[in-house]
Amino acid sequence: MMNLTSSTSFDFKAEIIGAYSAWDFAFNKADAKAVAATYVSNAKVLPPTHQVISGPEEIENFFAGLFSGGFTDHKLTIIDAGGDEKVVYSTAKWSAEGKGPDGSRQSAGGIATHVFERQADGSLKLRLHTFN
């Protein structure tokens, strides 16, 4: 277990950039199981549909639905990050490509908020993810 003391300093921005890179990589492989693995077991995803998505199975199914709809080329760009040794938060711009009703490529994007929990090994997993 990682020993975290008050003298421990974190580079929150670098940690978030790493977490975003891993998330984008899983998304862009259309690997719903790998995306769901980036969340804690009782995580919530709050998409613009106002649906509350809870836990690994629902999260995996939600992203599988996006992938079946042709979404790809996801990119998170950090706006802000902060936190402490237990909880890290960030805001980001997101963009992706999807398919319109006629099958043509359409760009999508918006703003996302993420709350991460630091795991015993020091890694970050998502507790809350909301986007518009």
Side-chain angles (χ1 to χ4, degrees):
M1 182 171 194
M2 188 173 173
N3 183 13
L4 301 174
T5 66
S6 60
S7 64
T8 302
S9 70
F10 297 98
D11 184 346
F12 298 117
K13 187 173 181 179
E15 287 184 302
I16 295 297
I17 288 170
Y20 282 175
S21 292
W23 198 95
D24 282 340
F25 182 77
F27 187 101
N28 292 327
K29 286 187 352 183
D31 188 342
K33 188 173 283 304
V35 170
T38 66
Y39 295 81
V40 297
S41 63
N42 56 351
K44 302 279 188 263
V45 175
L46 308 172
T49 60
H50 304 282
Q51 183 180 8
V52 177
I53 300 159
S54 301
E57 186 176 334
E58 287 185 19
I59 291 170
E60 183 178 340
N61 290 339
F62 173 78
F63 285 104
L66 290 181
F67 301 146
S68 69
F71 279 91
T72 187
D73 298 326
H74 194 276
K75 174 78 173 139
L76 286 161
T77 304
I78 193 167
I79 296 170
D80 189 27
D84 59 31
E85 65 273 2
K86 294 179 183 175
V87 176
V88 177
Y89 66 86
S90 62
T91 54
K93 293 179 183 177
W94 69 271
S95 61
E97 296 292 320
K99 290 184 182 174
D102 64 356
S104 65
R105 300 298 290 161
Q106 287 189 329
S107 295
I111 302 295
T113 301
H114 302 97
V115 177
F116 295 87
E117 286 183 3
R118 190 172 306 281
Q119 304 302 291
D121 66 0
S123 67
L124 298 176
K125 285 197 170 196
L126 284 159
R127 155 74 68 188
L128 177 65
H129 173 188
T130 184
F131 62 100
N132 64 12

